[in-house]
PDB file of all heavy atoms in Angstrom:
ATOM      1  N   GLY A1040      98.682  97.254 118.660  1.00 80.00           N
ATOM      2  CA  GLY A1040      99.585  98.313 119.113  1.00 80.00           C
ATOM      3  C   GLY A1040      99.689  99.428 118.095  1.00 80.00           C
ATOM      4  O   GLY A1040      98.961  99.473 117.107  1.00 80.00           O
ATOM      5  N   THR A1041     100.617 100.302 118.331  1.00 83.00           N
ATOM      6  CA  THR A1041     100.766 101.497 117.506  1.00 83.00           C
ATOM      7  C   THR A1041     101.157 101.199 116.070  1.00 83.00           C
ATOM      8  O   THR A1041     100.934 102.021 115.188  1.00 83.00           O
ATOM      9  CB  THR A1041     101.826 102.437 118.102  1.00 83.00           C
ATOM     10  OG1 THR A1041     103.073 101.739 118.185  1.00 83.00           O
ATOM     11  CG2 THR A1041     101.424 102.942 119.474  1.00 83.00           C
ATOM     12  N   HIS A1042     101.769 100.050 115.831  1.00 81.00           N
ATOM     13  CA  HIS A1042     102.242  99.711 114.487  1.00 81.00           C
ATOM     14  C   HIS A1042     101.468  98.543 113.874  1.00 81.00           C
ATOM     15  O   HIS A1042     101.938  97.909 112.942  1.00 81.00           O
ATOM     16  CB  HIS A1042     103.736  99.401 114.525  1.00 81.00           C
ATOM     17  CG  HIS A1042     104.572 100.611 114.788  1.00 81.00           C
ATOM     18  ND1 HIS A1042     104.644 101.222 116.022  1.00 81.00           N
ATOM     19  CD2 HIS A1042     105.343 101.347 113.972  1.00 81.00           C
ATOM     20  CE1 HIS A1042     105.437 102.266 115.946  1.00 81.00           C
ATOM     21  NE2 HIS A1042     105.871 102.372 114.712  1.00 81.00           N
ATOM     22  N   LEU A1050     109.024  95.408 113.595  1.00 95.00           N
ATOM     23  CA  LEU A1050     109.713  95.616 114.871  1.00 95.00           C
ATOM     24  C   LEU A1050     110.990  96.419 114.671  1.00 95.00           C
ATOM     25  O   LEU A1050     111.256  97.377 115.393  1.00 95.00           O
ATOM     26  CB  LEU A1050     110.026  94.268 115.517  1.00 95.00           C
ATOM     27  CG  LEU A1050     110.895  94.293 116.775  1.00 95.00           C
ATOM     28  CD1 LEU A1050     110.169  94.990 117.919  1.00 95.00           C
ATOM     29  CD2 LEU A1050     111.295  92.880 117.159  1.00 95.00           C
ATOM     30  N   GLN A1052     111.720  98.437 112.169  1.00 94.00           N
ATOM     31  CA  GLN A1052     111.361  99.807 111.794  1.00 94.00           C
ATOM     32  C   GLN A1052     110.924 100.619 113.017  1.00 94.00           C
ATOM     33  O   GLN A1052     111.296 101.784 113.167  1.00 94.00           O
ATOM     34  CB  GLN A1052     110.260  99.789 110.741  1.00 94.00           C
ATOM     35  CG  GLN A1052     110.734  99.282 109.406  1.00 94.00           C
ATOM     36  CD  GLN A1052     109.604  99.082 108.410  1.00 94.00           C
ATOM     37  OE1 GLN A1052     108.442  98.985 108.779  1.00 94.00           O
ATOM     38  NE2 GLN A1052     109.955  99.019 107.140  1.00 94.00           N
ATOM     39  N   MET A1053     110.145  99.991 113.897  1.00 95.00           N
ATOM     40  CA  MET A1053     109.677 100.668 115.106  1.00 95.00           C
ATOM     41  C   MET A1053     110.856 101.033 116.015  1.00 95.00           C
ATOM     42  O   MET A1053     110.949 102.162 116.508  1.00 95.00           O
ATOM     43  CB  MET A1053     108.688  99.776 115.863  1.00 95.00           C
ATOM     44  CG  MET A1053     108.133 100.394 117.124  1.00 95.00           C
ATOM     45  SD  MET A1053     106.982  99.296 117.978  1.00 95.00           S
ATOM     46  CE  MET A1053     108.062  97.973 118.516  1.00 95.00           C
ATOM     47  N   LEU A1054     111.762 100.098 116.210  1.00 96.00           N
ATOM     48  CA  LEU A1054     112.912 100.360 117.083  1.00 96.00           C
ATOM     49  C   LEU A1054     113.835 101.422 116.503  1.00 96.00           C
ATOM     50  O   LEU A1054     114.345 102.272 117.243  1.00 96.00           O
ATOM     51  CB  LEU A1054     113.678  99.062 117.357  1.00 96.00           C
ATOM     52  CG  LEU A1054     112.918  98.038 118.194  1.00 96.00           C
ATOM     53  CD1 LEU A1054     113.688  96.725 118.257  1.00 96.00           C
ATOM     54  CD2 LEU A1054     112.623  98.563 119.588  1.00 96.00           C
ATOM     55  N   LEU A1055     114.045 101.397 115.196  1.00 96.00           N
ATOM     56  CA  LEU A1055     114.877 102.430 114.586  1.00 96.00           C
ATOM     57  C   LEU A1055     114.228 103.801 114.680  1.00 96.00           C
ATOM     58  O   LEU A1055     114.920 104.809 114.882  1.00 96.00           O
ATOM     59  CB  LEU A1055     115.197 102.071 113.132  1.00 96.00           C
ATOM     60  CG  LEU A1055     116.159 100.895 112.953  1.00 96.00           C
ATOM     61  CD1 LEU A1055     116.321 100.564 111.473  1.00 96.00           C
ATOM     62  CD2 LEU A1055     117.505 101.178 113.593  1.00 96.00           C
ATOM     63  N   ALA A1056     112.909 103.859 114.565  1.00 96.00           N
ATOM     64  CA  ALA A1056     112.207 105.135 114.746  1.00 96.00           C
ATOM     65  C   ALA A1056     112.390 105.636 116.177  1.00 96.00           C
ATOM     66  O   ALA A1056     112.569 106.841 116.399  1.00 96.00           O
ATOM     67  CB  ALA A1056     110.726 104.978 114.421  1.00 96.00           C
ATOM     68  N   ASP A1057     112.378 104.724 117.145  1.00 96.00           N
ATOM     69  CA  ASP A1057     112.597 105.117 118.540  1.00 96.00           C
ATOM     70  C   ASP A1057     114.024 105.613 118.758  1.00 96.00           C
ATOM     71  O   ASP A1057     114.247 106.569 119.499  1.00 96.00           O
ATOM     72  CB  ASP A1057     112.278 103.965 119.490  1.00 96.00           C
ATOM     73  CG  ASP A1057     110.788 103.691 119.607  1.00 96.00           C
ATOM     74  OD1 ASP A1057     109.983 104.438 118.999  1.00 96.00           O
ATOM     75  OD2 ASP A1057     110.424 102.726 120.307  1.00 96.00           O
ATOM     76  N   VAL A1058     114.998 104.990 118.095  1.00 97.00           N
ATOM     77  CA  VAL A1058     116.380 105.473 118.177  1.00 97.00           C
ATOM     78  C   VAL A1058     116.459 106.886 117.611  1.00 97.00           C
ATOM     79  O   VAL A1058     117.106 107.765 118.187  1.00 97.00           O
ATOM     80  CB  VAL A1058     117.353 104.522 117.441  1.00 97.00           C
ATOM     81  CG1 VAL A1058     118.731 105.153 117.303  1.00 97.00           C
ATOM     82  CG2 VAL A1058     117.446 103.186 118.162  1.00 97.00           C
ATOM     83  N   GLU A1059     115.784 107.129 116.503  1.00 97.00           N
ATOM     84  CA  GLU A1059     115.767 108.462 115.901  1.00 97.00           C
ATOM     85  C   GLU A1059     115.216 109.494 116.891  1.00 97.00           C
ATOM     86  O   GLU A1059     115.696 110.629 116.962  1.00 97.00           O
ATOM     87  CB  GLU A1059     114.914 108.434 114.630  1.00 97.00           C
ATOM     88  CG  GLU A1059     114.825 109.761 113.925  1.00 97.00           C
ATOM     89  CD  GLU A1059     113.903 109.723 112.727  1.00 97.00           C
ATOM     90  OE1 GLU A1059     113.034 108.827 112.632  1.00 97.00           O
ATOM     91  OE2 GLU A1059     114.038 110.623 111.885  1.00 97.00           O
ATOM     92  N   MET A1060     114.227 109.091 117.690  1.00 97.00           N
ATOM     93  CA  MET A1060     113.604 110.016 118.640  1.00 97.00           C
ATOM     94  C   MET A1060     114.531 110.406 119.783  1.00 97.00           C
ATOM     95  O   MET A1060     114.266 111.390 120.479  1.00 97.00           O
ATOM     96  CB  MET A1060     112.312 109.415 119.192  1.00 97.00           C
ATOM     97  CG  MET A1060     111.186 109.409 118.194  1.00 97.00           C
ATOM     98  SD  MET A1060     109.675 108.835 118.973  1.00 97.00           S
ATOM     99  CE  MET A1060     108.876 108.061 117.601  1.00 97.00           C
ATOM    100  N   VAL A1061     115.624 109.673 119.975  1.00 97.00           N
ATOM    101  CA  VAL A1061     116.632 110.098 120.957  1.00 97.00           C
ATOM    102  C   VAL A1061     117.093 111.506 120.607  1.00 97.00           C
ATOM    103  O   VAL A1061     117.307 112.339 121.491  1.00 97.00           O
ATOM    104  CB  VAL A1061     117.825 109.117 120.982  1.00 97.00           C
ATOM    105  CG1 VAL A1061     118.972 109.667 121.810  1.00 97.00           C
ATOM    106  CG2 VAL A1061     117.385 107.748 121.509  1.00 97.00           C
ATOM    107  N   HIS A1062     117.170 111.795 119.321  1.00 96.00           N
ATOM    108  CA  HIS A1062     117.604 113.116 118.855  1.00 96.00           C
ATOM    109  C   HIS A1062     116.427 114.046 118.545  1.00 96.00           C
ATOM    110  O   HIS A1062     116.448 115.214 118.930  1.00 96.00           O
ATOM    111  CB  HIS A1062     118.485 112.970 117.605  1.00 96.00           C
ATOM    112  CG  HIS A1062     118.941 114.268 117.039  1.00 96.00           C
ATOM    113  ND1 HIS A1062     119.909 115.048 117.640  1.00 96.00           N
ATOM    114  CD2 HIS A1062     118.552 114.930 115.937  1.00 96.00           C
ATOM    115  CE1 HIS A1062     120.079 116.137 116.927  1.00 96.00           C
ATOM    116  NE2 HIS A1062     119.279 116.089 115.879  1.00 96.00           N
ATOM    117  N   THR A1063     115.395 113.519 117.861  1.00 98.00           N
ATOM    118  CA  THR A1063     114.324 114.392 117.390  1.00 98.00           C
ATOM    119  C   THR A1063     113.270 114.696 118.449  1.00 98.00           C
ATOM    120  O   THR A1063     112.618 115.738 118.377  1.00 98.00           O
ATOM    121  CB  THR A1063     113.619 113.789 116.156  1.00 98.00           C
ATOM    122  OG1 THR A1063     113.028 112.525 116.510  1.00 98.00           O
ATOM    123  CG2 THR A1063     114.589 113.600 114.999  1.00 98.00           C
ATOM    124  N   ARG A1064     113.064 113.790 119.399  1.00 97.00           N
ATOM    125  CA  ARG A1064     112.069 113.988 120.460  1.00 97.00           C
ATOM    126  C   ARG A1064     112.615 113.440 121.782  1.00 97.00           C
ATOM    127  O   ARG A1064     112.084 112.487 122.348  1.00 97.00           O
ATOM    128  CB  ARG A1064     110.757 113.278 120.098  1.00 97.00           C
ATOM    129  CG  ARG A1064     110.057 113.895 118.905  1.00 97.00           C
ATOM    130  CD  ARG A1064     108.728 113.225 118.613  1.00 97.00           C
ATOM    131  NE  ARG A1064     107.871 113.203 119.791  1.00 97.00           N
ATOM    132  CZ  ARG A1064     107.015 112.208 120.075  1.00 97.00           C
ATOM    133  NH1 ARG A1064     106.883 111.178 119.277  1.00 97.00           N
ATOM    134  NH2 ARG A1064     106.267 112.265 121.148  1.00 97.00           N
ATOM    135  N   PRO A1065     113.707 114.024 122.289  1.00 95.00           N
ATOM    136  CA  PRO A1065     114.372 113.462 123.462  1.00 95.00           C
ATOM    137  C   PRO A1065     113.506 113.408 124.721  1.00 95.00           C
ATOM    138  O   PRO A1065     113.740 112.572 125.590  1.00 95.00           O
ATOM    139  CB  PRO A1065     115.588 114.375 123.664  1.00 95.00           C
ATOM    140  CG  PRO A1065     115.239 115.643 122.962  1.00 95.00           C
ATOM    141  CD  PRO A1065     114.335 115.255 121.824  1.00 95.00           C
ATOM    142  N   GLY A1066     112.490 114.246 124.810  1.00 95.00           N
ATOM    143  CA  GLY A1066     111.625 114.236 125.985  1.00 95.00           C
ATOM    144  C   GLY A1066     110.487 113.237 125.907  1.00 95.00           C
ATOM    145  O   GLY A1066     109.793 112.995 126.891  1.00 95.00           O
ATOM    146  N   SER A1067     110.303 112.619 124.734  1.00 97.00           N
ATOM    147  CA  SER A1067     109.229 111.633 124.591  1.00 97.00           C
ATOM    148  C   SER A1067     109.623 110.359 125.325  1.00 97.00           C
ATOM    149  O   SER A1067     110.805 110.092 125.556  1.00 97.00           O
ATOM    150  CB  SER A1067     108.999 111.318 123.108  1.00 97.00           C
ATOM    151  OG  SER A1067     110.111 110.613 122.557  1.00 97.00           O
ATOM    152  N   TRP A1068     108.633 109.550 125.689  1.00 96.00           N
ATOM    153  CA  TRP A1068     108.982 108.316 126.387  1.00 96.00           C
ATOM    154  C   TRP A1068     109.774 107.392 125.469  1.00 96.00           C
ATOM    155  O   TRP A1068     110.678 106.683 125.924  1.00 96.00           O
ATOM    156  CB  TRP A1068     107.759 107.631 126.995  1.00 96.00           C
ATOM    157  CG  TRP A1068     106.755 107.076 126.022  1.00 96.00           C
ATOM    158  CD1 TRP A1068     105.630 107.686 125.554  1.00 96.00           C
ATOM    159  CD2 TRP A1068     106.800 105.790 125.391  1.00 96.00           C
ATOM    160  NE1 TRP A1068     104.980 106.863 124.657  1.00 96.00           N
ATOM    161  CE2 TRP A1068     105.674 105.692 124.548  1.00 96.00           C
ATOM    162  CE3 TRP A1068     107.674 104.717 125.455  1.00 96.00           C
ATOM    163  CZ2 TRP A1068     105.410 104.561 123.778  1.00 96.00           C
ATOM    164  CZ3 TRP A1068     107.416 103.598 124.686  1.00 96.00           C
ATOM    165  CH2 TRP A1068     106.286 103.533 123.870  1.00 96.00           C
ATOM    166  N   GLU A1069     109.488 107.388 124.153  1.00 96.00           N
ATOM    167  CA  GLU A1069     110.237 106.538 123.235  1.00 96.00           C
ATOM    168  C   GLU A1069     111.702 106.962 123.180  1.00 96.00           C
ATOM    169  O   GLU A1069     112.607 106.138 123.309  1.00 96.00           O
ATOM    170  CB  GLU A1069     109.650 106.596 121.819  1.00 96.00           C
ATOM    171  CG  GLU A1069     108.228 106.142 121.693  1.00 96.00           C
ATOM    172  CD  GLU A1069     107.235 107.301 121.729  1.00 96.00           C
ATOM    173  OE1 GLU A1069     107.513 108.335 122.386  1.00 96.00           O
ATOM    174  OE2 GLU A1069     106.175 107.178 121.085  1.00 96.00           O
ATOM    175  N   GLY A1070     111.924 108.264 122.977  1.00 96.00           N
ATOM    176  CA  GLY A1070     113.288 108.775 122.892  1.00 96.00           C
ATOM    177  C   GLY A1070     114.052 108.628 124.192  1.00 96.00           C
ATOM    178  O   GLY A1070     115.217 108.209 124.205  1.00 96.00           O
ATOM    179  N   ALA A1071     113.404 108.956 125.298  1.00 97.00           N
ATOM    180  CA  ALA A1071     114.068 108.866 126.602  1.00 97.00           C
ATOM    181  C   ALA A1071     114.391 107.422 126.963  1.00 97.00           C
ATOM    182  O   ALA A1071     115.476 107.127 127.469  1.00 97.00           O
ATOM    183  CB  ALA A1071     113.190 109.499 127.682  1.00 97.00           C
ATOM    184  N   ASN A1072     113.448 106.513 126.691  1.00 97.00           N
ATOM    185  CA  ASN A1072     113.700 105.101 127.013  1.00 97.00           C
ATOM    186  C   ASN A1072     114.772 104.503 126.118  1.00 97.00           C
ATOM    187  O   ASN A1072     115.605 103.716 126.584  1.00 97.00           O
ATOM    188  CB  ASN A1072     112.407 104.286 126.928  1.00 97.00           C
ATOM    189  CG  ASN A1072     111.476 104.587 128.077  1.00 97.00           C
ATOM    190  OD1 ASN A1072     111.884 105.025 129.135  1.00 97.00           O
ATOM    191  ND2 ASN A1072     110.203 104.352 127.866  1.00 97.00           N
ATOM    192  N   MET A1073     114.776 104.869 124.843  1.00 97.00           N
ATOM    193  CA  MET A1073     115.806 104.347 123.952  1.00 97.00           C
ATOM    194  C   MET A1073     117.165 104.941 124.317  1.00 97.00           C
ATOM    195  O   MET A1073     118.189 104.257 124.235  1.00 97.00           O
ATOM    196  CB  MET A1073     115.462 104.635 122.490  1.00 97.00           C
ATOM    197  CG  MET A1073     116.365 103.901 121.515  1.00 97.00           C
ATOM    198  SD  MET A1073     116.479 102.106 121.745  1.00 97.00           S
ATOM    199  CE  MET A1073     114.879 101.590 121.150  1.00 97.00           C
ATOM    200  N   ALA A1074     117.196 106.188 124.750  1.00 97.00           N
ATOM    201  CA  ALA A1074     118.445 106.779 125.232  1.00 97.00           C
ATOM    202  C   ALA A1074     118.981 105.989 126.411  1.00 97.00           C
ATOM    203  O   ALA A1074     120.185 105.732 126.509  1.00 97.00           O
ATOM    204  CB  ALA A1074     118.228 108.242 125.622  1.00 97.00           C
ATOM    205  N   GLN A1075     118.090 105.557 127.302  1.00 97.00           N
ATOM    206  CA  GLN A1075     118.499 104.749 128.453  1.00 97.00           C
ATOM    207  C   GLN A1075     119.050 103.396 128.006  1.00 97.00           C
ATOM    208  O   GLN A1075     120.039 102.911 128.550  1.00 97.00           O
ATOM    209  CB  GLN A1075     117.325 104.545 129.422  1.00 97.00           C
ATOM    210  CG  GLN A1075     117.686 103.739 130.648  1.00 97.00           C
ATOM    211  CD  GLN A1075     118.776 104.393 131.476  1.00 97.00           C
ATOM    212  OE1 GLN A1075     118.735 105.575 131.755  1.00 97.00           O
ATOM    213  NE2 GLN A1075     119.782 103.619 131.866  1.00 97.00           N
ATOM    214  N   VAL A1076     118.416 102.794 127.005  1.00 97.00           N
ATOM    215  CA  VAL A1076     118.917 101.521 126.474  1.00 97.00           C
ATOM    216  C   VAL A1076     120.327 101.709 125.918  1.00 97.00           C
ATOM    217  O   VAL A1076     121.232 100.918 126.217  1.00 97.00           O
ATOM    218  CB  VAL A1076     117.974 100.963 125.378  1.00 97.00           C
ATOM    219  CG1 VAL A1076     118.610  99.792 124.646  1.00 97.00           C
ATOM    220  CG2 VAL A1076     116.638 100.550 125.978  1.00 97.00           C
ATOM    221  N   LEU A1077     120.530 102.760 125.111  1.00 96.00           N
ATOM    222  CA  LEU A1077     121.858 103.020 124.556  1.00 96.00           C
ATOM    223  C   LEU A1077     122.881 103.242 125.662  1.00 96.00           C
ATOM    224  O   LEU A1077     123.992 102.686 125.618  1.00 96.00           O
ATOM    225  CB  LEU A1077     121.815 104.221 123.621  1.00 96.00           C
ATOM    226  CG  LEU A1077     121.036 104.023 122.322  1.00 96.00           C
ATOM    227  CD1 LEU A1077     120.841 105.347 121.608  1.00 96.00           C
ATOM    228  CD2 LEU A1077     121.711 103.026 121.421  1.00 96.00           C
ATOM    229  N   THR A1078     122.528 104.039 126.657  1.00 97.00           N
ATOM    230  CA  THR A1078     123.428 104.319 127.772  1.00 97.00           C
ATOM    231  C   THR A1078     123.751 103.035 128.536  1.00 97.00           C
ATOM    232  O   THR A1078     124.895 102.804 128.931  1.00 97.00           O
ATOM    233  CB  THR A1078     122.821 105.380 128.708  1.00 97.00           C
ATOM    234  OG1 THR A1078     122.604 106.576 127.953  1.00 97.00           O
ATOM    235  CG2 THR A1078     123.720 105.680 129.893  1.00 97.00           C
ATOM    236  N   TYR A1084     125.984 109.651 123.697  1.00 79.00           N
ATOM    237  CA  TYR A1084     125.792 110.418 122.463  1.00 79.00           C
ATOM    238  C   TYR A1084     125.863 111.882 122.763  1.00 79.00           C
ATOM    239  O   TYR A1084     125.837 112.326 123.870  1.00 79.00           O
ATOM    240  CB  TYR A1084     124.472 110.034 121.789  1.00 79.00           C
ATOM    241  CG  TYR A1084     123.316 110.051 122.751  1.00 79.00           C
ATOM    242  CD1 TYR A1084     122.564 111.192 122.912  1.00 79.00           C
ATOM    243  CD2 TYR A1084     123.032 108.945 123.545  1.00 79.00           C
ATOM    244  CE1 TYR A1084     121.531 111.224 123.827  1.00 79.00           C
ATOM    245  CE2 TYR A1084     122.003 108.976 124.458  1.00 79.00           C
ATOM    246  CZ  TYR A1084     121.268 110.107 124.599  1.00 79.00           C
ATOM    247  OH  TYR A1084     120.259 110.141 125.513  1.00 79.00           O
TER     248      TYR A1084
END
Side-chain angles (χ1 to χ4, degrees):
T1041 59
H1042 290 73
L1050 173 66
Q1052 290 172 341
M1053 181 180 67
L1054 293 173
L1055 290 176
D1057 288 357
V1058 169
E1059 180 184 21
M1060 287 185 211
V1061 170
H1062 178 73
T1063 61
R1064 293 183 54 214
S1067 68
W1068 67 266
E1069 299 96 330
N1072 288 336
M1073 190 54 73
Q1075 181 60 47
V1076 169
L1077 292 169
T1078 300
Y1084 49 92

